[in-house]
């Protein structure tokens, strides 16, 4: 009896030590707990008072000091696709995940994915295709909140949504230039997160509306900070990337620096991490604007600057942002999301 009691006592001490050291993890974080952390930290970003959030930011962000030079990362090599970045972030390609395995893992966490699209001026014509194709392929079986920003709410189509998929429309002022639409998205995304998404969602994606879902897009795309590799530049040397090359712009990247060229049509991650991205890009855009500077590709240029020094924790391959005028390559086995063909002169003209 004494030996049995001592054995149990020893086991409890060992178990407690393992638990405290993180060797054993019991349960998972609930949606409410995660949202509570995000709300607290998003608010503290405005007040800059929370040491907890400061520590979270320090521990979670993969921040690169400026002036560190290294070989350009590859997306494909002669032997095939690359599935891991040099900073150990996965690159998601067909064949690197199994929905039958990972969907049940995320299902039990009761997650909510917010999705924002901006449809101003003549871009409202793309909403039906975007929403109808999303309902076939995008986070099917999960809770999705669509937020549509438009200057023509009456042109938002009535689309039948699946279970736990909801759509909210926000009316915003009309703009004369298509560049102004992209320049203003970061600020609107930042404000939406502050006012609503910090309370309503776990993850958020900001997607371009002139697109169509063509294949499965699910929880394999989720991560703390998610970027997509642009299909036009995934085999291009970095000194040929269309980065902003003028040093006077806050989006400036020297020709000897850069990892990948990220497409601005897809931005995603945990609500708090996307909030930091949107807030930083909005601030940099405002600094440029005060100097009458407009980066070569507006918010996409600032996004690439942010991702260079704040490394994404997951990258989506060009499968997640193809272009309809391009044929599939030997590396791209499936097209999941694609920018549709359009007459840019017509849809981008002043109204």
């Amino acid at each position: 009896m004494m030996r049995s009691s001592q054995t149990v006592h020893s086991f409890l001490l060992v178990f407690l030590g393992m638990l405290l050291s993180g060797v054993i993890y019991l349960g998972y974080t609930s949606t409410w707990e995660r949202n509570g952390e995000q709300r607290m930290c998003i608010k503290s970003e405005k007040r800059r008072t929370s040491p907890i959030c400061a520590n979270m930011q320090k521990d979670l962000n993969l921040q690169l000091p400026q002036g560190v030079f290294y070989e350009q990362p590859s997306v494909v090599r002669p032997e095939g696709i690359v599935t891991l970045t040099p900073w150990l972030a996965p690159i998601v390609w067909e064949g690197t995940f199994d929905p039958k395995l990972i969907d049940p893992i995320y299902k039990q966490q009761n997650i909510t994915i917010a999705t924002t699209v901006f449809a101003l001026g003549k871009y409202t014509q793309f909403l039906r295709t975007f929403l109808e194709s999303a309902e076939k392929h995008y986070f099917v079986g999960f809770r999705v909140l669509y937020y549509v920003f438009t200057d023509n709410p009456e042109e938002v189509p009535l689309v039948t949504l699946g279970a736990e998929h909801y759509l909210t429309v926000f009316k915003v002022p009309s703009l004369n230039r298509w560049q102004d639409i992209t320049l203003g998205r970061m600020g609107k995304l930042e404000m939406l997160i502050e006012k609503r998404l910090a309370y309503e969602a776990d993850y958020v994606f900001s997607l371009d509306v002139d697109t169509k879902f063509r294949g499965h897009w699910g929880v394999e795309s989720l991560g703390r900070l998610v970027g997509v590799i642009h299909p036009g530049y995934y085999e291009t040397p970095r000194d040929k990337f269309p980065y902003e090359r003028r040093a006077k712009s806050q989006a400036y990247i020297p020709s000897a620096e850069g990892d990948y060229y990220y497409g601005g049509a897809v931005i995603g991650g945990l609500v708090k991490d996307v909030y930091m991205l949107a807030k930083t890009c909005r601030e940099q855009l405002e600094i440029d604007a005060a100097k009458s500077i407009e980066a070569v590709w507006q918010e996409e240029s600032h996004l690439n600057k942010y991702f260079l020094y704040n490394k994404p924790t997951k990258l989506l391959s060009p499968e997640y942002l193809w272009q309809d005028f391009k044929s599939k390559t030997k590396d791209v086995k499936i097209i999941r999301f694609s920018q549709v063909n359009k007459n840019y002169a017509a849809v981008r003209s002043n109204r």
Side-chain angles (χ1 to χ4, degrees):
M1 227 20 220
M2 178 67 69
R3 179 176 296 178
S4 175
S5 176
Q6 289 175 337
T7 301
V8 171
H9 180 68
S10 298
F11 171 79
L12 289 173
L13 288 175
V14 171
F15 179 83
L16 181 60
M18 294 174 70
L19 185 62
L20 292 174
S21 65
V23 175
I24 296 177
Y25 175 69
L26 299 178
Y28 59 86
T29 304
S30 70
T31 301
W32 175 253
E33 290 171 325
R34 287 195 304 272
N35 282 351
E37 291 172 355
Q38 294 192 122
R39 287 195 298 273
M40 178 185 69
C41 292
I42 287 172
K43 290 178 179 178
S44 72
E45 290 299 338
K46 299 179 74 174
R47 301 191 187 105
R48 301 184 183 278
T49 58
S50 170
I52 294 175
C53 296
N55 287 334
M56 284 177 63
Q57 197 70 13
K58 184 187 301 182
D59 292 341
L60 294 179
N61 277 8
L62 301 174
Q63 292 186 321
L64 175 74
Q66 296 194 26
V68 178
F69 298 98
Y70 50 90
E71 186 178 348
Q72 179 181 351
S74 300
V75 180
V76 294
R77 296 193 179 108
E79 60 270 24
I81 60 173
V82 176
T83 60
L84 199 66
T85 71
W87 60 91
L88 304 181
I91 305 175
V92 183
W93 296 88
E94 173 68 7
T96 61
F97 64 94
D98 184 351
K100 293 180 181 178
L101 172 63
I102 61 175
D103 281 6
I105 294 174
Y106 280 86
K107 263 291 187 183
Q108 66 180 335
Q109 297 186 33
N110 192 31
I111 60 171
T112 298
I113 302 100
T115 304
T116 67
V117 289
F118 291 77
L120 277 74
K122 297 178 181 178
Y123 274 79
T124 54
Q125 66 187 279
F126 301 111
L127 268 173
R128 181 174 294 279
T129 296
F130 176 90
L131 291 169
E132 289 183 344
S133 64
E135 285 304 289
K136 293 179 181 178
H137 302 292
Y138 183 69
F139 289 105
V140 175
F142 289 85
R143 181 178 171 84
V144 174
L145 309 177
Y146 297 109
Y147 296 92
V148 176
F149 291 82
T150 181
D151 53 348
N152 293 301
E154 65 281 0
E155 294 185 17
V156 176
L158 293 176
V159 174
T160 301
L161 302 179
E164 291 205 282
H165 284 205
Y166 306 92
L167 188 147
T168 301
V169 178
F170 293 110
K171 182 174 173 56
V172 294
S174 299
L175 296 168
N176 288 327
R177 299 191 319 139
W178 67 267
Q179 294 94 332
D180 292 330
I181 297 174
T182 65
L183 287 167
R185 289 199 304 183
M186 289 298 187
K188 289 183 175 59
L189 179 58
E190 176 191 2
M191 185 172 297
L192 178 66
I193 292 174
E194 280 186 11
K195 301 297 184 183
R196 294 190 63 156
L197 300 193
Y199 303 87
E200 297 178 350
D202 301 289
Y203 297 90
V204 55
F205 279 94
S206 179
L207 304 176
D208 274 5
V209 70
D210 53 337
T211 50
K212 182 176 182 177
F213 292 88
R214 300 186 179 278
H216 169 89
W217 179 319
V219 295
E220 78 283 349
S221 66
L222 297 179
R224 280 193 13 259
L225 188 59
V226 180
V228 66
I229 298 170
H230 196 291
Y233 303 99
Y234 74 96
E235 295 183 281
T236 302
R238 60 185 170 194
D239 63 337
K240 298 294 190 293
F241 286 163
Y243 287 155
E244 174 55 64
R245 301 299 188 183
R246 295 171 296 172
K248 62 183 180 180
S249 171
Q250 295 297 307
Y252 167 67
I253 298 177
S255 59
E257 297 185 41
D259 298 320
Y260 310 96
Y261 190 80
Y262 298 97
V266 177
I267 304 168
L270 286 173
V271 168
K272 180 181 184 299
D273 290 85
V274 176
Y275 175 78
M276 288 302 303
L277 181 157
K279 179 175 183 291
T280 302
C281 288
R282 188 263 306 162
E283 291 172 344
Q284 301 304 304
L285 284 159
E286 288 180 352
I287 293 172
D288 272 8
K291 299 177 181 178
S292 299
I293 301 170
E294 185 176 291
V296 59
W297 288 108
Q298 296 82 40
E299 69 166 24
E300 187 173 82
S301 298
H302 290 270
L303 172 70
N304 274 274
K305 176 68 173 288
Y306 187 87
F307 276 158
L308 175 58
Y309 297 113
N310 300 269
K311 303 296 190 189
T313 59
K314 181 174 284 186
L315 279 67
L316 304 181
S317 71
E319 297 171 359
Y320 292 82
L321 182 61
W322 203 244
Q323 295 163 316
D324 277 2
F325 64 83
K326 295 170 66 74
S327 300
K328 283 196 297 186
T329 67
K330 62 181 177 62
D331 305 304
V332 176
K333 308 299 183 187
I334 182 173
I335 297 172
R336 304 182 187 280
F337 188 58
S338 185
Q339 293 179 313
V340 300
N341 290 327
K342 52 194 164 292
N343 182 341
Y344 281 104
V347 298
R348 288 181 172 178
S349 60
N350 291 352
R351 301 186 64 196

